[in-house]
Amino acid sequence: MENTEKKQVVFSAIQPSGTITLGNYLGAVRNWVTMQEEYNCIYALADLHTITVRQNPAQMRRNILDAYASIMACGIDVEKSIFFIQSHVHTHAEIAWILNCYTQFGELGRMTQFKDKSAKHADNINAGLFTYPVLMAGDILLYQADKVPVGADQKQHIELTCDVARRFNGLYGDVFKIPEGFIPQNGARVMSLQNPLNKMSKSDENVNGCVHLLDPPEVIMRKFKRAVTDSDACVRYAEGKDGVNNLMTIYGAVTGKSFEQIEAEFAGKGYGDFKAAVGEAVVEELRPIRERYEQLIKDKAYLEECYRKADETALKISSRTLGKVMKKVGFIR
């Protein structure tokens, strides 16, 4: 008998600010690929979010295309998922303005990411940096998403999205679906190889702290061989062993092995052997992605065909929600 049960909608977005990292891949993008089978997936390259920090325009254009090709290379199937470029779909900017008027100043002032980013970019604390959680809420609510896969650091933004949606629904009836944020079980939280107390980030001042999706094998190996460990010289997962814990998390994520299996595999072996094994496992995980990326980035016409088609579909879906919102608020159609 045919399964007629309607698939739930998943929405997720990633910023194209520089190259995709191993942390982005293991924490988010790899899950995007597996979720394509179970859900109706809508994915966005969130370039509107990127300009809260000053960008070089030519570099930004390159970053957008690179990120699009990189994420497709990871296994996003444009026949199964909608993968669009946010700035091409005007409904996002429009709904953000409307939802700004239903979001309280105090709610935005409590956002920890605003405080962190303001400290980092003290010379450019712009209004966009303050209100971008509202744009993020609009991104999600436009598609009536059931689920939003997020990292632990984004949970606060999902809570705000739900609060704003409930407030709007309370005033105007059942307009928005209340989304559920969830942290995917196989989403690894990857830390810097040089400072394992901080999340792996493309803005890491130490180039050896971050592995990029498109790094050549010899660069990946070098970064893992220089990874910070400790003086214990024993591969085990324990409190206070942040560097080793991070390497075990990465190794487990790419091999599917549990911490117990990893401990058994490296019993009696030193950190040199362990770091080399993690590096080699990551090289093999990323090899087909890098090869596919090289093919895609050479075919700009195909990439454009993919995102234009997705942009159109995203506009069609999101316009239904925006139309309903504008009518409820009282705008003349």
Side-chain angles (χ1 to χ4, degrees):
M1 191 177 129
E2 191 189 340
N3 181 10
T4 53
E5 192 182 335
K6 200 166 170 244
K7 285 182 177 179
Q8 286 191 313
V9 174
V10 159
F11 179 87
S12 197
I14 191 168
Q15 286 194 45
S17 49
T19 56
I20 307 287
T21 69
L22 178 67
N24 299 141
Y25 172 68
L26 294 178
V29 179
R30 194 170 63 161
N31 287 306
W32 287 16
V33 176
T34 54
M35 285 188 292
Q36 293 179 118
E37 305 308 319
E38 199 181 332
Y39 300 101
N40 281 332
C41 294
I42 301 172
Y43 299 133
L45 213 49
D47 54 344
L48 291 176
H49 286 279
T50 304
I51 64 167
T52 57
V53 176
R54 291 279 175 272
Q55 303 291 321
N56 172 299
Q59 185 61 52
M60 183 169 162
R61 283 188 278 274
R62 278 196 298 275
N63 287 348
I64 290 169
L65 212 55
D66 268 0
Y68 198 87
S70 298
I71 290 165
M72 276 186 68
C74 291
I76 296 300
D77 185 339
V78 290
E79 297 302 318
K80 289 179 183 169
S81 302
I82 299 164
F83 179 34
F84 68 97
I85 296 175
Q86 182 192 31
S87 63
H88 292 179
V89 183
H90 59 80
T91 47
H92 288 255
E94 291 172 50
I95 200 162
W97 170 251
I98 295 172
L99 295 182
N100 268 326
C101 302
Y102 293 84
T103 306
Q104 299 304 301
F105 195 86
E107 290 174 314
L108 293 175
R110 287 193 290 275
M111 292 287 136
T112 51
Q113 281 211 333
F114 171 68
K115 291 167 189 167
D116 295 346
K117 289 194 175 186
S118 297
K120 245 187 220 174
H121 304 282
D123 59 334
N124 182 25
I125 305 173
N126 58 72
L129 199 59
F130 188 68
T131 62
Y132 89 96
V134 183
L135 175 58
M136 187 173 164
D139 296 338
I140 296 162
L141 297 174
L142 275 173
Y143 299 94
Q144 306 290 353
D146 294 284
K147 291 181 182 263
V148 186
V150 286
D153 57 338
Q154 293 286 344
K155 265 181 75 178
Q156 203 184 16
H157 288 159
I158 298 299
E159 285 161 11
L160 178 77
T161 300
C162 294
D163 289 343
V164 172
R166 288 192 190 98
R167 182 175 298 136
F168 196 92
N169 287 356
L171 289 165
Y172 301 111
D174 204 11
V175 178
F176 295 123
K177 186 172 276 185
I178 307 300
E180 176 200 340
F182 74 106
I183 298 170
Q185 282 181 317
N186 60 342
R189 185 166 162 79
V190 178
M191 312 307 279
S192 164
L193 298 183
Q194 291 298 311
N195 182 0
L197 294 174
N198 291 342
K199 208 165 107 169
M200 183 178 282
S201 166
K202 57 196 100 173
S203 57
D204 197 326
E205 285 171 16
N206 188 330
V207 292
N208 292 307
C210 179
V211 174
H212 300 277
L213 205 62
L214 305 174
D215 276 346
E218 64 276 11
V219 172
I220 294 172
M221 290 305 295
R222 187 178 72 237
K223 287 177 179 178
F224 275 104
K225 282 175 181 172
R226 291 178 180 174
V228 167
T229 47
D230 53 47
S231 55
D232 183 31
C234 176
V235 178
R236 62 191 175 88
Y237 197 94
E239 199 175 329
K241 289 173 67 69
D242 302 302
V244 173
N245 294 349
N246 186 38
L247 291 174
M248 289 179 73
T249 298
I250 293 167
Y251 191 62
V254 296
T255 62
K257 291 176 181 175
S258 67
F259 290 151
E260 291 80 10
Q261 288 171 316
I262 297 167
E263 285 173 18
E265 184 182 345
F266 293 97
K269 291 182 183 174
Y271 287 156
D273 290 339
F274 177 51
K275 290 199 275 192
V278 181
E280 282 161 16
V282 169
V283 164
E284 289 314 309
E285 175 79 12
L286 300 184
R287 189 186 302 281
I289 295 170
R290 201 168 47 252
E291 287 168 0
R292 176 78 177 125
Y293 165 83
E294 293 299 346
Q295 292 171 337
L296 286 167
I297 204 66
K298 286 177 191 150
D299 195 346
K300 303 280 195 297
Y302 174 67
L303 287 175
E304 185 174 347
E305 184 190 318
C306 291
Y307 66 69
R308 291 280 177 221
K309 189 176 164 193
D311 297 342
E312 275 177 36
T313 310
L315 182 61
K316 196 186 280 183
I317 296 168
S318 58
S319 291
R320 288 201 290 267
T321 300
L322 183 66
K324 193 190 277 190
V325 166
M326 292 183 80
K327 187 179 175 190
K328 293 284 187 185
V329 169
F331 293 111
I332 293 175
R333 294 298 298 273

